[in-house]
Amino acid sequence: MAQQQTRWAQFGVLITVFFFWGFVAASNDILIPVFKKAFNLSQSQSQLVAVAFYVAYTVGSLIYFGISKWVGQDLLNKIGYKNGICVGLLISALGTLLFYPAANNSSFPLMLSGLFIVGLGFALQQIAANPLAIVMGNPATGAQRLTMAGGVNNFGTTIGPLLVSFAIFGSLSTGNTDASIESVKIPYLVLGAAFTLVAVFIKFSSVPNQIDLDALASDEAQDAGKLVHKPSAFAYPQLVLGMLAIFVYVGVEVSTVSNLPAYLHEGLGIETQHLAPYVSLYWASLMIGRWTGAAGAFDVGRSTKSMLLLLLPFLAFGVYLAVNAIARHDISQFYGYAGVIVVMIAATWLSRGNPARMLLYFAVCGIVALLIGMFSSGMTSTIAFISVGLFCSTMWPCIFALAITGLGRNTNQGSSLLIMMIMGGGLVSWAQGALADVVGVHMSFWVGVVCFAYLAFYALRASSLLRKQGIDLDQLAAGTSH
């Protein structure tokens, strides 16, 4: 019991960094329309905000991969997981410093450079933190712990757009409609100070610096005799296919919300200063879904887990309504979203904790949501597009768990390769923006349909591949019910 409490305490410290990832990622979606107006950009040019931030993950992962090859040892195994997270936080803090001269000089390239460096730091943090979140406890509940960490991430994504919007426009009562670039610098400098403080806090915490990856692989397998410790992470097909899955998953998640403001403006006539509650609900939807998926991470009875499955999503929805009410936004128009949440709960319950099944069900729901959004209008279309966030919510932990399960000593290499593919958030967003310049924003969401279709395929293929390696996902998921 004492060991379990210690692990939960360590996990609680670790997930602090997940909050920062969400805060910055969601804040970008407010910066996109602001920069578009301030710098007179096209829709595809405005998506360079997403490109700079998410491509930084790829560059950071390549740097990690190259340094590991150069020193002849995995970098995290050499410097430690905790130390890696601290270094990543300090790199991100350096990136926030660029917002000051960028804002003073109204420099779009310098703004992009700051976001790029923040993303570089996030890459190292994610390479270290995601495997740690999975191994801190029973392997059977690893995906659920990562889902829980994602729920904290999405608390950051929920309040990020609201705080950045307030920093730029002030409160709604002021009636300010002008986007002030200079007002961006203070929130990001404060964020940089927070990065530094958390780095110091984690450095002196009990978060582990090393993990036994080979022992982890043996624990994951139902038949350890079928495990083959291959010389490279690329030799595992579930990882190679998972890399593309991460690319298109982050792509559809980010491109949908990055292009949503343009649709809201063109389709509903909503001005930039009033976008925050819509963007906030999209990111809150990921929080809602991840809090739902996290119910399986608690060491409680089946009936209690069922109660949490019903309670946690509406508690998360209540958080969204509360923070937006405090910000004096009209929340009455979003009450009907509770019906979409019920659909998500049903898909979660039917998955029974199996990450491949959950990925499949949520991908199908995402396709349906986008089709409804494209072939309807008004608030129906808006809610449908926003619900994409709900159905993307648990995809990251599902894909991550499927891709690195059974990799053993290649887990860190596999993690860095997966983090590399976060660049899909920038490239797919740019592709949708380019398509929107040709066919209009409303029909540009076909890009997301293609992404979800591949994710449905990966869910089926990864499950088959893991069974051949002696890993039965149904049996592994069964470990979450006791």
Side-chain angles (χ1 to χ4, degrees):
M1 179 63 72
Q3 184 181 19
Q4 186 180 43
Q5 290 175 343
T6 300
R7 282 177 171 174
W8 275 108
Q10 294 170 343
F11 183 63
V13 173
L14 176 66
I15 60 178
T16 305
V17 298
F18 284 76
F19 172 86
F20 287 135
W21 304 341
F23 185 97
V24 176
S27 299
N28 290 344
D29 300 315
I30 295 298
L31 295 181
I32 286 172
V34 168
F35 288 171
K36 181 179 180 182
K37 181 178 180 180
F39 298 114
N40 193 27
L41 306 173
S42 68
Q43 183 62 15
S44 58
Q45 289 173 329
S46 71
Q47 297 304 308
L48 290 176
V49 171
V51 172
F53 181 69
Y54 289 102
V55 168
Y57 282 89
T58 301
V59 175
S61 296
L62 287 171
I63 292 172
Y64 176 90
F65 200 77
I67 293 176
S68 295
K69 289 290 186 183
W70 180 56
V71 300
Q73 182 183 358
D74 183 88
L75 182 60
L76 285 176
N77 285 340
K78 185 175 180 64
I79 69 172
Y81 286 77
K82 178 167 65 175
N83 293 337
I85 293 172
C86 293
V87 171
L89 283 165
L90 294 177
I91 292 172
S92 295
L94 289 175
T96 62
L97 294 178
L98 283 182
F99 278 80
Y100 195 86
N104 286 340
N105 295 284
S106 295
S107 172
F108 185 50
L110 207 52
M111 286 282 188
L112 295 181
S113 299
L115 284 172
F116 180 82
I117 295 173
V118 171
L120 283 180
F122 281 6
L124 181 57
Q125 294 169 47
Q126 291 229 26
I127 292 168
N130 282 288
L132 270 180
I134 289 178
V135 303
M136 280 184 171
N138 183 355
T141 56
Q144 284 86 352
R145 276 192 302 281
L146 198 53
T147 299
M148 181 186 295
V152 175
N153 171 287
N154 289 117
F155 179 67
T157 63
T158 300
I159 67 174
L162 299 174
L163 293 179
V164 172
S165 181
F166 180 83
I168 295 174
F169 299 107
S171 66
L172 291 179
S173 60
T174 65
N176 182 23
T177 61
D178 294 326
S180 173
I181 297 299
E182 286 197 11
S183 61
V184 172
K185 61 188 178 185
I186 299 302
Y188 279 87
L189 289 176
V190 172
L191 189 63
F195 287 158
T196 304
L197 288 174
V198 171
V200 173
F201 179 68
I202 290 179
K203 175 62 179 177
F204 294 101
S205 73
S206 60
V207 171
N209 235 1
Q210 302 293 334
I211 56 178
D212 188 344
L213 298 174
D214 286 339
L216 171 65
S218 296
D219 288 342
E220 290 168 337
Q222 302 299 315
D223 182 359
K226 291 185 178 181
L227 285 174
V228 177
H229 296 290
K230 301 177 182 180
S232 169
F234 285 109
Y236 295 86
Q238 72 266 31
L239 174 70
V240 176
L241 294 174
M243 290 171 64
L244 182 55
I246 288 290
F247 181 93
V248 298
Y249 149 68
V250 181
V252 66
E253 178 183 283
V254 175
S255 66
T256 300
V257 69
S258 293
N259 288 278
L260 182 63
Y263 172 70
L264 292 173
H265 178 67
E266 294 180 11
L268 279 72
I270 299 173
E271 296 299 329
T272 304
Q273 67 271 19
H274 298 301
L275 289 173
Y278 297 90
V279 173
S280 177
L281 179 56
Y282 181 91
W283 290 111
S285 295
L286 279 96
M287 178 176 69
I288 292 166
R290 286 171 178 171
W291 284 24
T292 307
F298 295 99
D299 188 17
V300 294
R302 182 174 300 176
S303 60
T304 304
K305 285 183 180 179
S306 297
M307 181 183 69
L308 289 173
L309 184 67
L310 294 173
L311 177 63
L312 288 176
F314 290 105
L315 179 62
F317 187 42
V319 169
Y320 162 79
L321 294 175
V323 296
N324 277 272
I326 292 171
R328 298 184 180 180
H329 293 295
D330 177 18
I331 59 175
S332 61
Q333 59 186 324
F334 301 117
Y335 291 155
Y337 199 63
V340 188
I341 294 174
V342 172
V343 175
M344 183 273 303
I345 293 173
T348 302
W349 182 80
L350 289 171
S351 72
R352 302 290 188 182
N354 183 312
R357 193 178 298 131
M358 180 176 287
L359 180 61
L360 175 62
Y361 293 166
F362 276 51
V364 172
C365 288
I367 291 173
V368 172
L370 286 175
L371 291 176
I372 291 174
M374 285 188 289
F375 293 101
S376 63
S377 59
M379 201 60 186
T380 298
S381 180
T382 300
I383 290 297
F385 286 141
I386 289 175
S387 71
V388 169
L390 202 61
F391 300 121
C392 282
S393 60
T394 59
M395 286 187 169
W396 172 273
C398 288
I399 298 168
F400 210 94
L402 290 170
I404 70 170
T405 293
L407 265 62
R409 65 177 65 97
N410 294 299
T411 297
N412 288 342
Q413 187 185 66
S415 177
S416 69
L417 292 170
L418 291 173
I419 300 303
M420 182 190 304
M421 304 311 289
I422 290 177
M423 66 178 174
L427 299 184
V428 175
S429 296
W430 176 83
Q432 184 173 345
L435 181 61
D437 287 336
V438 177
V439 302
V441 177
H442 201 179
M443 286 295 108
S444 70
F445 290 92
W446 277 110
V447 171
V449 174
V450 175
C451 292
F452 278 129
Y454 176 78
L455 291 168
F457 160 77
Y458 178 68
L460 297 171
R461 182 61 178 155
S463 180
S464 173
L465 289 169
L466 289 173
R467 284 196 185 94
K468 293 178 181 178
Q469 297 176 32
I471 300 171
D472 190 322
L473 294 171
D474 282 318
Q475 292 185 36
L476 190 62
T480 65
S481 301
H482 35 257

